mmCIF file of all heavy atoms in Angstrom:
data_model
loop_
_atom_site.group_PDB
_atom_site.id
_atom_site.type_symbol
_atom_site.label_atom_id
_atom_site.label_comp_id
_atom_site.label_asym_id
_atom_site.label_seq_id
_atom_site.Cartn_x
_atom_site.Cartn_y
_atom_site.Cartn_z
ATOM 1 N N SER A 1217 6.814 -9.055 6.552
ATOM 2 C CA SER A 1217 8.199 -8.686 6.842
ATOM 3 C C SER A 1217 8.574 -7.395 6.107
ATOM 4 O O SER A 1217 7.882 -6.957 5.182
ATOM 5 C CB SER A 1217 9.139 -9.808 6.391
ATOM 6 O OG SER A 1217 9.104 -9.923 4.966
ATOM 7 N N ASP A 1218 9.693 -6.804 6.487
ATOM 8 C CA ASP A 1218 10.161 -5.581 5.828
ATOM 9 C C ASP A 1218 10.354 -5.810 4.327
ATOM 10 O O ASP A 1218 9.977 -4.959 3.505
ATOM 11 C CB ASP A 1218 11.475 -5.114 6.452
ATOM 12 C CG ASP A 1218 11.314 -4.622 7.890
ATOM 13 O OD1 ASP A 1218 10.173 -4.309 8.282
ATOM 14 O OD2 ASP A 1218 12.337 -4.567 8.610
ATOM 15 N N GLU A 1219 10.949 -6.939 3.966
ATOM 16 C CA GLU A 1219 11.210 -7.211 2.551
ATOM 17 C C GLU A 1219 9.912 -7.394 1.778
ATOM 18 O O GLU A 1219 9.762 -6.888 0.650
ATOM 19 C CB GLU A 1219 12.084 -8.460 2.407
ATOM 20 C CG GLU A 1219 13.520 -8.274 2.844
ATOM 21 C CD GLU A 1219 14.330 -9.544 2.633
ATOM 22 O OE1 GLU A 1219 14.656 -9.865 1.477
ATOM 23 O OE2 GLU A 1219 14.623 -10.222 3.637
ATOM 24 N N ASN A 1220 8.981 -8.121 2.352
ATOM 25 C CA ASN A 1220 7.685 -8.291 1.688
ATOM 26 C C ASN A 1220 6.975 -6.950 1.528
ATOM 27 O O ASN A 1220 6.388 -6.666 0.477
ATOM 28 C CB ASN A 1220 6.794 -9.247 2.487
ATOM 29 C CG ASN A 1220 7.001 -10.697 2.107
ATOM 30 O OD1 ASN A 1220 7.226 -11.034 0.953
ATOM 31 N ND2 ASN A 1220 6.908 -11.582 3.095
ATOM 32 N N LEU A 1221 6.999 -6.127 2.590
ATOM 33 C CA LEU A 1221 6.306 -4.845 2.522
ATOM 34 C C LEU A 1221 6.912 -3.940 1.460
ATOM 35 O O LEU A 1221 6.182 -3.236 0.746
ATOM 36 C CB LEU A 1221 6.350 -4.144 3.878
ATOM 37 C CG LEU A 1221 5.474 -4.727 4.983
ATOM 38 C CD1 LEU A 1221 5.567 -3.867 6.239
ATOM 39 C CD2 LEU A 1221 4.020 -4.828 4.550
ATOM 40 N N ALA A 1222 8.223 -3.953 1.332
ATOM 41 C CA ALA A 1222 8.868 -3.136 0.300
ATOM 42 C C ALA A 1222 8.404 -3.572 -1.090
ATOM 43 O O ALA A 1222 8.135 -2.735 -1.965
ATOM 44 C CB ALA A 1222 10.390 -3.249 0.420
ATOM 45 N N GLU A 1223 8.296 -4.887 -1.280
ATOM 46 C CA GLU A 1223 7.831 -5.420 -2.565
ATOM 47 C C GLU A 1223 6.373 -5.027 -2.818
ATOM 48 O O GLU A 1223 6.002 -4.605 -3.916
ATOM 49 C CB GLU A 1223 7.966 -6.942 -2.563
ATOM 50 C CG GLU A 1223 7.523 -7.642 -3.836
ATOM 51 C CD GLU A 1223 8.526 -7.512 -4.963
ATOM 52 O OE1 GLU A 1223 9.689 -7.107 -4.707
ATOM 53 O OE2 GLU A 1223 8.153 -7.794 -6.116
ATOM 54 N N ILE A 1224 5.533 -5.154 -1.791
ATOM 55 C CA ILE A 1224 4.115 -4.808 -1.936
ATOM 56 C C ILE A 1224 3.951 -3.323 -2.261
ATOM 57 O O ILE A 1224 3.226 -2.944 -3.188
ATOM 58 C CB ILE A 1224 3.344 -5.156 -0.644
ATOM 59 C CG1 ILE A 1224 3.301 -6.662 -0.441
ATOM 60 C CG2 ILE A 1224 1.921 -4.595 -0.695
ATOM 61 C CD1 ILE A 1224 2.780 -7.086 0.935
ATOM 62 N N LYS A 1225 4.639 -2.465 -1.521
ATOM 63 C CA LYS A 1225 4.480 -1.020 -1.702
ATOM 64 C C LYS A 1225 4.972 -0.575 -3.078
ATOM 65 O O LYS A 1225 4.420 0.360 -3.673
ATOM 66 C CB LYS A 1225 5.232 -0.272 -0.605
ATOM 67 C CG LYS A 1225 4.603 -0.407 0.779
ATOM 68 C CD LYS A 1225 5.449 0.306 1.829
ATOM 69 C CE LYS A 1225 4.924 0.065 3.231
ATOM 70 N NZ LYS A 1225 5.755 0.724 4.264
ATOM 71 N N ARG A 1226 6.021 -1.250 -3.583
ATOM 72 C CA ARG A 1226 6.561 -0.889 -4.901
ATOM 73 C C ARG A 1226 5.486 -1.007 -5.977
ATOM 74 O O ARG A 1226 5.360 -0.151 -6.855
ATOM 75 C CB ARG A 1226 7.752 -1.782 -5.216
ATOM 76 C CG ARG A 1226 8.459 -1.445 -6.523
ATOM 77 C CD ARG A 1226 9.833 -2.084 -6.553
ATOM 78 N NE ARG A 1226 9.780 -3.534 -6.581
ATOM 79 C CZ ARG A 1226 9.727 -4.253 -7.709
ATOM 80 N NH1 ARG A 1226 9.681 -3.638 -8.875
ATOM 81 N NH2 ARG A 1226 9.716 -5.563 -7.659
ATOM 82 N N HIS A 1227 4.694 -2.068 -5.894
ATOM 83 C CA HIS A 1227 3.641 -2.267 -6.898
ATOM 84 C C HIS A 1227 2.358 -1.535 -6.519
ATOM 85 O O HIS A 1227 1.621 -1.063 -7.397
ATOM 86 C CB HIS A 1227 3.377 -3.761 -7.062
ATOM 87 C CG HIS A 1227 4.563 -4.527 -7.546
ATOM 88 N ND1 HIS A 1227 5.122 -4.328 -8.795
ATOM 89 C CD2 HIS A 1227 5.322 -5.484 -6.945
ATOM 90 C CE1 HIS A 1227 6.159 -5.131 -8.950
ATOM 91 N NE2 HIS A 1227 6.300 -5.843 -7.842
ATOM 92 N N MET A 1228 2.081 -1.425 -5.224
ATOM 93 C CA MET A 1228 0.864 -0.749 -4.790
ATOM 94 C C MET A 1228 0.875 0.715 -5.200
ATOM 95 O O MET A 1228 -0.168 1.298 -5.530
ATOM 96 C CB MET A 1228 0.713 -0.879 -3.272
ATOM 97 C CG MET A 1228 -0.605 -0.356 -2.729
ATOM 98 S SD MET A 1228 -0.754 -0.605 -0.942
ATOM 99 C CE MET A 1228 -1.163 -2.342 -0.897
ATOM 100 N N GLY A 1229 2.055 1.321 -5.197
ATOM 101 C CA GLY A 1229 2.167 2.720 -5.603
ATOM 102 C C GLY A 1229 1.799 2.945 -7.054
ATOM 103 O O GLY A 1229 1.420 4.063 -7.439
ATOM 104 N N THR A 1230 1.909 1.911 -7.858
ATOM 105 C CA THR A 1230 1.478 1.989 -9.251
ATOM 106 C C THR A 1230 -0.006 1.649 -9.387
ATOM 107 O O THR A 1230 -0.716 2.217 -10.215
ATOM 108 C CB THR A 1230 2.299 1.002 -10.112
ATOM 109 O OG1 THR A 1230 3.686 1.289 -9.962
ATOM 110 C CG2 THR A 1230 1.913 1.104 -11.579
ATOM 111 N N GLN A 1231 -0.458 0.744 -8.551
ATOM 112 C CA GLN A 1231 -1.826 0.221 -8.652
ATOM 113 C C GLN A 1231 -2.874 1.219 -8.200
ATOM 114 O O GLN A 1231 -3.961 1.305 -8.773
ATOM 115 C CB GLN A 1231 -1.944 -1.054 -7.804
ATOM 116 C CG GLN A 1231 -3.313 -1.699 -7.807
ATOM 117 C CD GLN A 1231 -3.419 -2.808 -6.771
ATOM 118 O OE1 GLN A 1231 -2.836 -2.721 -5.695
ATOM 119 N NE2 GLN A 1231 -4.146 -3.852 -7.099
ATOM 120 N N THR A 1232 -2.595 1.987 -7.131
ATOM 121 C CA THR A 1232 -3.633 2.817 -6.525
ATOM 122 C C THR A 1232 -3.038 4.094 -5.951
ATOM 123 O O THR A 1232 -1.852 4.143 -5.597
ATOM 124 C CB THR A 1232 -4.363 2.045 -5.407
ATOM 125 O OG1 THR A 1232 -5.366 2.888 -4.823
ATOM 126 C CG2 THR A 1232 -3.405 1.600 -4.317
ATOM 127 N N ILE A 1233 -3.897 5.119 -5.842
ATOM 128 C CA ILE A 1233 -3.476 6.345 -5.160
ATOM 129 C C ILE A 1233 -3.767 6.262 -3.675
ATOM 130 O O ILE A 1233 -3.478 7.198 -2.922
ATOM 131 C CB ILE A 1233 -4.181 7.578 -5.754
ATOM 132 C CG1 ILE A 1233 -5.708 7.407 -5.692
ATOM 133 C CG2 ILE A 1233 -3.717 7.834 -7.175
ATOM 134 C CD1 ILE A 1233 -6.476 8.652 -6.079
ATOM 135 N N GLY A 1234 -4.373 5.169 -3.243
ATOM 136 C CA GLY A 1234 -4.607 4.975 -1.822
ATOM 137 C C GLY A 1234 -6.016 4.524 -1.525
ATOM 138 O O GLY A 1234 -6.922 4.619 -2.356
ATOM 139 N N PHE A 1235 -6.201 3.999 -0.312
ATOM 140 C CA PHE A 1235 -7.502 3.528 0.142
ATOM 141 C C PHE A 1235 -8.232 4.648 0.892
ATOM 142 O O PHE A 1235 -7.738 5.767 0.986
ATOM 143 C CB PHE A 1235 -7.321 2.281 1.006
ATOM 144 C CG PHE A 1235 -6.737 1.116 0.265
ATOM 145 C CD1 PHE A 1235 -5.372 0.814 0.349
ATOM 146 C CD2 PHE A 1235 -7.530 0.320 -0.535
ATOM 147 C CE1 PHE A 1235 -4.832 -0.258 -0.340
ATOM 148 C CE2 PHE A 1235 -7.004 -0.759 -1.231
ATOM 149 C CZ PHE A 1235 -5.649 -1.050 -1.135
ATOM 150 N N ASP A 1236 -9.390 4.326 1.433
ATOM 151 C CA ASP A 1236 -10.251 5.323 2.066
ATOM 152 C C ASP A 1236 -9.710 5.690 3.444
ATOM 153 O O ASP A 1236 -9.984 5.022 4.443
ATOM 154 C CB ASP A 1236 -11.669 4.748 2.172
ATOM 155 C CG ASP A 1236 -12.682 5.748 2.681
ATOM 156 O OD1 ASP A 1236 -12.272 6.791 3.222
ATOM 157 O OD2 ASP A 1236 -13.896 5.473 2.565
ATOM 158 N N LYS A 1237 -8.956 6.779 3.503
ATOM 159 C CA LYS A 1237 -8.340 7.194 4.767
ATOM 160 C C LYS A 1237 -9.374 7.762 5.737
ATOM 161 O O LYS A 1237 -9.191 7.677 6.955
ATOM 162 C CB LYS A 1237 -7.234 8.215 4.498
ATOM 163 C CG LYS A 1237 -6.082 7.663 3.677
ATOM 164 C CD LYS A 1237 -4.940 8.644 3.560
ATOM 165 C CE LYS A 1237 -5.288 9.817 2.670
ATOM 166 N NZ LYS A 1237 -5.490 9.430 1.246
ATOM 167 N N ILE A 1238 -10.458 8.327 5.227
ATOM 168 C CA ILE A 1238 -11.508 8.850 6.103
ATOM 169 C C ILE A 1238 -12.170 7.699 6.861
ATOM 170 O O ILE A 1238 -12.456 7.809 8.056
ATOM 171 C CB ILE A 1238 -12.548 9.644 5.298
ATOM 172 C CG1 ILE A 1238 -11.907 10.854 4.629
ATOM 173 C CG2 ILE A 1238 -13.711 10.079 6.194
ATOM 174 C CD1 ILE A 1238 -11.241 11.819 5.586
ATOM 175 N N ASN A 1239 -12.403 6.589 6.182
ATOM 176 C CA ASN A 1239 -12.972 5.425 6.864
ATOM 177 C C ASN A 1239 -11.996 4.856 7.886
ATOM 178 O O ASN A 1239 -12.398 4.405 8.959
ATOM 179 C CB ASN A 1239 -13.362 4.353 5.855
ATOM 180 C CG ASN A 1239 -14.268 3.295 6.457
ATOM 181 O OD1 ASN A 1239 -15.110 3.595 7.305
ATOM 182 N ND2 ASN A 1239 -14.090 2.057 6.044
ATOM 183 N N GLN A 1240 -10.719 4.894 7.554
ATOM 184 C CA GLN A 1240 -9.714 4.412 8.498
ATOM 185 C C GLN A 1240 -9.712 5.258 9.769
ATOM 186 O O GLN A 1240 -9.759 4.719 10.885
ATOM 187 C CB GLN A 1240 -8.329 4.440 7.844
ATOM 188 C CG GLN A 1240 -8.161 3.428 6.718
ATOM 189 C CD GLN A 1240 -6.812 3.543 6.019
ATOM 190 O OE1 GLN A 1240 -5.869 4.141 6.562
ATOM 191 N NE2 GLN A 1240 -6.713 2.975 4.823
ATOM 192 N N ILE A 1241 -9.709 6.581 9.632
ATOM 193 C CA ILE A 1241 -9.654 7.435 10.827
ATOM 194 C C ILE A 1241 -10.983 7.398 11.575
ATOM 195 O O ILE A 1241 -11.030 7.547 12.799
ATOM 196 C CB ILE A 1241 -9.263 8.893 10.469
ATOM 197 C CG1 ILE A 1241 -8.856 9.667 11.725
ATOM 198 C CG2 ILE A 1241 -10.364 9.608 9.730
ATOM 199 C CD1 ILE A 1241 -7.656 9.109 12.457
#
């Protein structure tokens, strides 16, 4: 849900600079 995603992103932004976008594309 929107509320869950906001909570996840708030902490994910501290946890990581991001996943492998080259593998995603």
Side-chain angles (χ1 to χ4, degrees):
S1217 66
D1218 292 341
E1219 289 182 74
N1220 272 324
L1221 288 183
E1223 180 76 14
I1224 293 170
K1225 290 177 186 179
R1226 184 163 66 89
H1227 298 295
M1228 187 177 282
T1230 303
Q1231 180 190 35
T1232 179
I1233 56 172
F1235 296 99
D1236 186 345
K1237 297 186 289 294
I1238 298 302
N1239 195 35
Q1240 292 176 18
I1241 195 61

